[in-house]
Amino acid sequence: EAQVTQNPRYLITVTGKKLTVTCSQNMNHEYMSWYRQDPGLGLRQIYYSMNVEVTDKGDVPEGYKVSRKEKRNFPLILESPSPNQTSLYFCASSSLGRGEETQYFGPGTRLLVL
Amino acid sequence: SQQGEEDPQALSIQEGENATMNCSYKTSINNLQWYRQNSGRGLVHLILIRSNEREKHSGRLRVTLDTSKKSSSLLITASRAADTASYFCATDASGANNLFFGTGTRLTVIP
């Protein structure tokens, strides 16, 4: 089954404790992206990747890092999480990343930073 | 930011009625997409309309696009309780490599 998976689905952590949210897709998509969703703000893009070893900042990259060492994986790294990073995070992928491409979303990771 | 805005923010209707949601955006686009999100879950693609199209249908969905007004509407006909969800429009700026999502319309269909 074609899908985007994220782990963990739920995470509670404390300020400053490094964490990684994994994202994997099995559709051989070149384009992958991370979004955060907050009430009243919709989805905002954090980082995206057009292909292996190619990553770019989205609208709200501060406090986040990503890597794209393999085509299928695109982990999101919070080196020193802060409470304002409490949010619902989504990973997404598409074939080529252009606007005519449908994006496939993961199930989401709900993060609480205390 | 090119982020779009949906209107209304929330909509509550009776089952069987039609639901109309609007999306406005700021810059020229190549395409506009509509996505659906059930509570707390990932978004699911519904329909894409290109900038040279004015109207598109898919089942009970009808999407219109007015590039002169930089706006789009999503009409769901004969709504069902299962249509209860949030609906987002997403646009791509000409030459951009990503989508910009709106803030969403929360639709509640009352059985």
Side-chain angles (χ1 to χ4, degrees), chain A residues 30 49-55 68-72:
Chain A
E30 292 186 0
S49 170
M50 297 295 290
N51 212 326
V52 174
E53 303 291 1
V54 181
T55 62
R68 188 87 181 276
K69 292 184 170 60
E70 306 165 280
K71 199 170 189 178
R72 65 181 292 129

Side-chain angles (χ1 to χ4, degrees), chain A residues 31 35 37 40-45 48 50 59 88 90 97 99-103 105-107 110, chain B residues 1 3 31 33 35 37 40-45 48 50 88 92 96-103:
Chain A
Y31 180 91
Y35 296 88
Q37 184 177 27
L41 297 177
L43 274 81
R44 294 179 292 167
Q45 190 177 52
Y48 65 96
M50 297 295 290
D59 291 330
L88 179 58
F90 290 101
E100 68 265 27
E101 301 282 336
T102 297
Q103 291 208 22
F105 281 80
R110 194 170 291 278
Chain B
S1 170
Q3 187 177 47
N31 306 283
Q33 302 183 37
Y35 286 79
Q37 182 185 33
R41 299 198 169 187
L43 279 71
V44 175
H45 179 259
L48 178 150
R50 303 188 188 283
F88 295 85
D92 68 319
N97 292 319
N98 46 5
L99 291 177
F100 296 89
F101 284 84
T103 50

Side-chain angles (χ1 to χ4, degrees), chain A residues 16-35:
Chain A
K17 185 176 181 181
K18 180 179 178 180
L19 67 91
T20 299
V21 184
T22 65
C23 173
S24 182
Q25 49 92 7
N26 62 1
M27 295 169 278
N28 201 36
H29 284 167
E30 292 186 0
Y31 180 91
M32 298 185 75
S33 178
W34 276 103
Y35 296 88

